[in-house]
Amino acid sequence: MSERLEEVKLHIGGRYVEAASGRTFETINPATGQSLATVHEADAGDVDRAVQAARAGFAEWSRMSGAARGRVLRRAAELLR
């Protein structure tokens, strides 16, 4: 991979957000020693926000029918391909 990503934010509650602390770190390609991206560094507060968002998402997910969940998973698989 020769392309460098500029910035990788945290994915919380379906959105990409900066770390609450504003802290970041560089991730390095071990094969080349070059920087791959600047990554936002989650702290305990960010993890708590992510857990709250996941719990809210699970509550919504669990109310969906099996057919509806299947459609979501098939769409996710299509996007990944």
Side-chain angles (χ1 to χ4, degrees):
M1 177 181 201
S2 60
E3 187 176 315
R4 182 185 189 284
L5 300 172
E6 290 301 312
E7 181 179 46
V8 178
K9 294 182 178 181
L10 307 174
H11 192 260
I12 299 175
R15 298 180 322 149
Y16 289 97
V17 298
E18 295 181 359
S21 68
R23 292 178 57 180
T24 61
F25 63 92
E26 293 295 313
T27 184
I28 305 298
N29 180 339
T32 65
Q34 294 179 328
S35 174
L36 290 173
T38 301
V39 180
H40 284 260
E41 185 176 328
D43 63 14
D46 295 312
V47 173
D48 287 343
R49 287 189 302 152
V51 169
Q52 289 172 358
R55 284 185 176 145
F58 178 75
E60 183 177 335
W61 178 260
S62 65
R63 287 191 299 269
M64 294 172 70
S65 70
R69 286 189 296 239
R71 285 190 296 274
V72 170
L73 292 172
R74 278 190 292 280
R75 179 66 180 138
E78 289 172 8
L79 291 170
L80 286 171
R81 281 189 211 123

